[in-house]
Amino acid sequence: MACGKEDSGRKDNSSEPSKSSRLVTVGYVQSGTGSAWSLANVESIKQNCTEENGINLIYECAEDDFDTQLSIVHSFIEQKVDLISFTPIVSEGWEDVLKEAKEAGIPVIIMDRMVETGDDTLFNCWIGSNFLLEGYKAADWLIDYMKSLGSKKDKFNVALFQGALGSSAEVGRTQGVEEMLKTAGNFRFVYKETGNFNRAGGINNMEKVLRQKLDIDVLIAENDDMALGAIEVMEKNGIKPGKDIVIVSFDGIHDAFQAMVDGKINCVMECNPLTGKLLANAVKTVMDGNPISKKNYVLEELFPADTAADYIDNRKY
Ligand code: GYE
């Protein structure tokens, strides 16, 4: 209606601020886009942090490089954006820049992965997953599943493909699965390396496992992309994924659900990337000066393979 006939040539004397001056400028920097999870996360943020929702989004991606991400956050402070948000590639190293943001009076919302600072007044809130709990739940399922197979082995050999080292997603999941499997007493980690949360990392690690003839019973991949990469290698080498090697992974992307339906992944611990709406709501709450919880966990479920067919058609990512 702004361009309607009635308005033409008329001076706007109203005290109502113009649309653009009411928009909150949010500088957001994503960690990287190497996984289907992060692509879905970016999509969700872009779909919800819109002008219709009162947000002018400046979107940047750090392509998994910490220094790049740090300098982008710095540039947001220099640009005097209204609010900064980011998914920290690694947990540590954020203290100084967060202090600068605080001194400049710019609120900060941390997304997905967490920062490690001694002072949680350095950010307004965090929205993300309970990675430690994800690790516990996945390993707990695995313990029962291995029991149900009735194997005579007294120890199961486990390969763990970790996510990007030092990210809270990696740290939490690693701790969770290690602690939980230790309580069972019959799991032995024979391989533990990062695959950087991407398919190439899954391929490289699986090739190494085979080269080293590690004879693994279980693969725990800290995200689906690495599991799918490993599956490619297994199949090329005549190994039946999901049968010869039990596979558990994290995220719950559509391709992993398909792999479960096909019997190639045994269980997926979901990690929900659809947090754009929560971010848009949190931006409003913070900018309105209303109170907000410091930590906001997203809901997520465990999906054993026999449930996958019921859910696959409704997966949104
Ligand atoms: O599991 C992985 C992504 O931080 C929760 O990062 C996120 C993880 C997710 O690249 O696929």
Side-chain angles (χ1 to χ4, degrees):
M1 286 307 286
C3 301
K5 215 174 170 202
E6 265 185 86
D7 286 341
S8 59
R10 214 199 311 144
K11 274 207 177 136
D12 184 5
N13 292 324
S14 77
S15 56
E16 174 91 350
S18 69
K19 191 175 181 200
S20 63
S21 71
R22 277 188 279 117
L23 291 178
V24 174
T25 297
V26 174
Y28 173 81
V29 50
Q30 172 68 252
S31 49
T33 47
S35 69
W37 188 99
S38 36
L39 292 173
N41 186 232
V42 169
E43 202 44 41
S44 170
I45 287 170
K46 285 186 176 171
Q47 268 172 15
N48 288 283
C49 295
T50 58
E51 294 199 2
E52 290 70 47
N53 289 334
I55 296 173
N56 166 35
L57 180 70
I58 306 176
Y59 172 79
E60 300 277 357
C61 180
E63 299 304 349
D64 294 314
D65 185 67
F66 171 70
D67 292 332
T68 305
Q69 192 172 38
L70 197 60
S71 73
I72 294 171
V73 174
H74 270 293
S75 79
F76 288 153
I77 299 174
E78 277 158 24
Q79 287 173 62
K80 299 188 172 40
V81 298
D82 298 314
L83 186 146
I84 292 172
S85 181
F86 64 101
T87 293
I89 293 172
V90 286
S91 312
E92 291 182 4
W94 293 102
E95 199 123 338
D96 290 347
V97 77
L98 288 177
K99 276 185 191 149
E100 277 175 46
K102 192 177 178 186
E103 275 156 25
I106 302 176
V108 173
I109 298 177
I110 313 281
M111 293 299 288
D112 164 31
R113 303 175 186 176
M114 189 39 136
V115 291
E116 200 67 62
T117 67
D119 175 4
D120 68 3
T121 67
L122 291 179
F123 58 94
N124 294 66
C125 71
W126 163 83
I127 300 166
S129 310
N130 189 335
F131 301 115
L132 180 65
L133 189 64
E134 288 178 358
Y136 286 148
K137 282 188 183 173
D140 192 38
W141 177 87
L142 179 66
I143 293 167
D144 285 347
Y145 184 72
M146 296 311 278
K147 252 187 223 149
S148 78
L149 295 180
S151 159
K152 299 250 163 355
K153 286 193 179 174
D154 57 348
K155 286 255 189 241
F156 297 116
N157 288 340
V158 180
L160 176 62
F161 294 180
Q162 294 165 284
L165 293 181
S167 66
S168 68
E170 175 275 313
V171 174
R173 288 171 189 165
T174 301
Q175 188 188 335
V177 297
E178 284 186 337
E179 277 182 17
M180 184 60 81
L181 292 187
K182 210 170 166 194
T183 63
N186 57 338
F187 291 86
R188 170 171 52 209
F189 287 90
V190 294
Y191 185 93
K192 179 180 163 189
E193 295 247 355
T194 182
N196 283 318
F197 281 136
N198 61 43
R199 229 169 250 238
I203 292 174
N204 292 339
N205 278 307
M206 195 60 217
E207 283 172 347
K208 261 174 133 182
V209 166
L210 294 184
R211 241 181 284 129
Q212 293 175 25
K213 302 195 181 354
L214 292 175
D215 190 24
I216 59 169
D217 302 294
V218 176
L219 167 64
I220 301 176
E222 288 180 6
N223 85 346
D224 294 335
D225 295 82
M226 293 189 291
L228 294 166
I231 287 171
E232 273 178 39
V233 177
M234 290 180 199
E235 291 187 320
K236 267 193 203 139
N237 287 277
I239 298 168
K240 289 198 193 74
K243 294 185 182 68
D244 299 335
I245 298 175
V246 171
I247 303 179
V248 178
S249 69
F250 295 80
D251 281 357
I253 62 173
H254 194 273
D255 286 356
F257 269 74
Q258 188 58 54
M260 285 199 283
V261 170
D262 298 341
K264 297 177 183 179
I265 291 183
N266 304 80
C267 182
V268 168
M269 179 63 228
E270 180 185 40
C271 179
N272 188 351
L274 307 178
T275 49
K277 193 167 183 189
L278 296 173
L279 174 59
N281 291 342
V283 167
K284 186 165 177 3
T285 306
V286 169
M287 295 310 291
D288 287 350
N290 290 325
I292 189 159
S293 316
K294 196 57 87 171
K295 287 187 177 177
N296 301 275
Y297 290 101
V298 294
L299 294 176
E300 30 211 20
E301 275 180 62
L302 183 90
F303 293 97
D306 57 4
T307 66
D310 295 338
Y311 293 99
I312 189 164
D313 291 339
N314 292 323
R315 296 303 293 172
K316 301 240 165 14
Y317 59 98

